[in-house]
Amino acid sequence: MSIDPTIAVTGVASTIGGYLAPYLTVAAVHAFGFGSGGVVAGSTAAAMMSSAGPVVAGSTVAVLQSIGAVGALGAAAVAISSLGGATVAGGAVYVGLKLLSLS
């Protein structure tokens, strides 16, 4: 019994994507300007805060600021981002390999 190399590589990519996704999510939140010391002046986060008006608990801006302040995701967010990362990475690699095999 042999293992299809496409499936093996896709599985590895999915595993790596699932592992890295929570870290990349926190990095992206920081890149938007939601930092440990609050919202960074002149950032995308600052623009979101000024256009949102009063920030309501549980809103997108409030959740992003919470992630930025703590520098980590909660358990549910880790699970969701890991699943998304695994799906995107695995899917992208699978489609890429299939397209390469057509040429």
Side-chain angles (χ1 to χ4, degrees):
M1 182 171 134
S2 65
I3 297 174
D4 180 1
T6 301
I7 300 301
V9 172
T10 301
V12 170
S14 294
T15 302
I16 292 169
Y19 176 77
L20 291 178
Y23 299 104
L24 296 175
T25 301
V26 172
V29 168
H30 285 166
F32 279 114
F34 294 101
S36 58
V39 174
V40 177
S43 66
T44 302
M48 289 174 71
M49 294 280 288
S50 66
S51 68
V55 176
V56 180
S59 67
T60 302
V61 172
V63 170
L64 291 172
Q65 181 50 48
S66 178
I67 293 168
V70 174
L73 302 174
V78 168
I80 291 168
S81 67
S82 291
L83 179 61
T87 302
V88 169
V93 167
Y94 182 79
V95 169
L97 290 172
K98 288 299 181 180
L99 288 174
L100 286 174
S101 69
L102 295 176
S103 50

